[in-house]
Amino acid sequence: MSTSGFDVKPSANPTDANVRKEILANPGFGRFFTDHMAHVRWTKDDGWHSSEVRPYGPLTLDPAASVLHYAQEIFEGVKAYRHADGSVWTFRPEKNAARFRASARRLALPELDTETFIGSLKALVAQDVDWVPTPASEAEESSLYLRPFMIASEKFLGVRPSKEVDYYVIASPAAAYFKGGVKPVSIWLSSNYNRAAPGGTGFAKCGGNYAASLAAQKEAEVHGCDQVAFLDAVENKWVEELGGMNLFFVFKDGRIVTPALTGTILEGVTRDSVLTLAKDAGLKPEERQISIDEWRDGIASGEISEVFACGTAAVITPIGELVSEHERITCTSGSGGEVGKSLRKQLLDLQYGRSEDKHGWLTRLA
Ligand SMILES: *Cc1c(COP(=O)(O)O)cnc(C)c1O
């Protein structure tokens, strides 16, 4: 059997249909995985080859595999959405494919072409299509989260780019990121840690960035906060992003500002989509530097009416409070601002096929 060039080796013991139904009724996030995974191998001599969909299961890695020592790894995050007619779609996967290549270049990993990237999503979803949840209502927001990733697997402790690399896609059914509806999150302003520096890996989606953000995340939790906001590493003045989401500031005069892409910020697909939808809605999007003082002063004066974060996993999430050693500022009250709510609904309506796909953002997977 073969799907878009992928050899399919079906699992001999797939999850029982009743067990799967139980999981899909309450999947949480990132806790359960489907029966298969996609895999493509790369070697310096032969390039990309041996595309397959095979049973989900542990990897066999040599203890000297360079990813385990030098963190030569990148990943992506994509969702598959089931529409009312049963078909399964994904959102702007060519953007994820392009970003995956940009991340690969920065981490000295081989680039994977868009066709193989999207082909791997299609091949895996075709095999595990019964794992794509059917949302019972608009509020349910369930999907199949797809996690493509690439690791350096050569057995070698010298420091240089690996000559052997493996690319995988795993899939995990996901409920709405925030159970019980959207709730504003509190944000800890990190003064001890930065996420990214000029010339570093901030624009790449690599595991190392996340490893380096966890101490700050722990600090946030000690202060009773949900997430961390990072400032730029040079002046500790310019707002960059959260550990895994981009930031937007809504001004009462219709401007909507997000930090410009300076190389230290991850170029979110949701960020780009919000910029487009905001423009369509008659708002004035601005990509520019925004300082922590402009954030504080804008809230104090009422000029900034809402702050929200965005990313594939949680879509759009209002920022309730900004907290640091000496302050606690309410940014968005109640259940979030009207602009964020409206953009959130527009994004979800598009992704679930409830509104017209004017920008051609959807790709059918199954
Ligand atoms: C993945 C990610 C985002 C959000 O990107 P989307 O493409 O919108 O999911 C934002 N910031 C960081 C650091 C990320 O890793």
Side-chain angles (χ1 to χ4, degrees):
M1 268 199 290
S2 158
T3 326
S4 44
F6 281 74
D7 267 338
V8 180
K9 298 173 181 134
S11 168
N13 49 354
T15 310
D16 177 80
N18 288 320
V19 174
R20 189 181 61 233
K21 272 187 200 121
E22 256 171 61
I23 292 171
L24 292 184
N26 188 16
F29 187 86
R31 291 191 297 139
F32 299 99
F33 296 89
T34 65
D35 293 313
H36 298 86
M37 58 190 188
H39 173 223
V40 190
R41 175 124 179 106
W42 180 91
T43 54
K44 191 150 192 273
D45 292 338
D46 298 329
W48 291 108
H49 59 274
S50 310
S51 314
E52 59 177 2
V53 171
R54 69 182 208 212
Y56 182 93
L59 306 178
T60 303
L61 273 185
D62 194 281
S66 44
V67 63
L68 300 175
H69 304 273
Y70 309 125
Q72 201 190 358
E73 187 267 359
I74 57 172
F75 67 96
E76 271 301 325
V78 182
K79 279 176 171 174
Y81 308 89
R82 194 183 287 281
H83 288 189
D85 67 357
S87 59
V88 178
W89 301 73
T90 192
F91 187 70
R92 309 188 75 184
E94 58 290 336
K95 296 278 286 179
N96 296 88
R99 184 170 71 190
F100 201 53
R101 281 198 298 279
S103 299
R105 285 194 292 275
R106 183 62 185 83
L107 274 288
L109 283 161
E111 295 180 36
L112 188 72
D113 60 85
T114 297
E115 198 188 326
T116 308
F117 182 88
I118 297 178
S120 68
L121 307 181
K122 282 187 178 158
L124 179 57
V125 169
Q127 189 63 22
D128 283 336
V129 70
D130 292 341
W131 284 91
V132 183
T134 303
S137 71
E138 279 191 25
E140 208 167 278
E141 293 177 26
S142 51
S143 60
L144 185 65
Y145 185 81
L146 303 170
R147 167 53 59 87
F149 63 102
M150 195 192 287
I151 58 172
S153 46
E154 185 184 351
K155 171 188 179 179
F156 179 61
L157 285 185
V159 181
R160 60 149 171 76
S162 181
K163 293 178 181 171
E164 292 171 34
V165 167
D166 289 280
Y167 164 75
Y168 297 93
V169 189
I170 55 175
S172 175
Y177 200 76
F178 298 104
K179 232 179 141 187
V182 180
K183 277 191 224 78
V185 294
S186 55
I187 297 297
W188 173 249
L189 182 65
S190 180
S191 49
N192 291 320
Y193 302 103
N194 297 100
R195 194 190 81 92
T201 55
F203 68 89
K205 210 168 175 73
C206 62
N209 287 343
Y210 278 74
S213 75
L214 295 177
Q217 181 65 29
K218 265 172 78 179
E219 198 182 72
E221 281 159 26
V222 166
H223 291 88
C225 293
D226 303 304
Q227 296 267 321
V228 190
F230 291 98
L231 299 177
D232 80 287
V234 178
E235 296 179 76
N236 264 300
K237 170 178 175 180
W238 306 105
V239 179
E240 299 217 305
E241 61 174 315
L242 306 187
M245 285 194 267
N246 296 114
L247 281 169
F248 276 87
F249 299 84
V250 181
F251 286 68
K252 69 167 194 262
D253 63 5
R255 283 176 294 149
I256 176 165
V257 177
T258 193
L261 303 172
T262 50
T264 52
I265 290 172
L266 200 289
E267 189 174 343
V269 177
T270 319
R271 174 189 179 280
D272 187 77
S273 309
V274 164
L275 284 168
T276 302
L277 294 176
K279 192 155 180 254
D280 290 353
L283 297 166
K284 281 167 280 183
E286 290 179 7
E287 294 179 74
R288 61 166 169 87
Q289 286 190 306
I290 176 161
S291 69
I292 186 65
D293 288 335
E294 184 178 357
W295 183 348
R296 282 195 186 104
D297 296 347
I299 295 291
S301 71
E303 236 203 312
I304 295 178
S305 50
E306 300 174 30
V307 185
F308 64 78
C310 69
T312 298
V315 198
I316 285 180
T317 305
I319 306 294
E321 279 187 319
L322 176 67
V323 183
S324 69
E325 296 287 357
H326 38 261
E327 67 198 331
R328 180 172 284 268
I329 302 171
T330 301
C331 300
T332 312
S333 50
S335 63
E338 290 310 314
V339 174
K341 266 188 204 161
S342 161
L343 289 165
R344 187 173 205 284
K345 181 172 179 343
Q346 285 180 55
L347 264 175
L348 289 168
D349 282 348
L350 256 168
Q351 289 166 338
Y352 285 95
R354 298 188 293 255
S355 66
E356 194 199 335
D357 180 20
K358 275 186 245 162
H359 299 285
W361 282 346
L362 298 185
T363 293
R364 186 160 182 178
L365 293 178

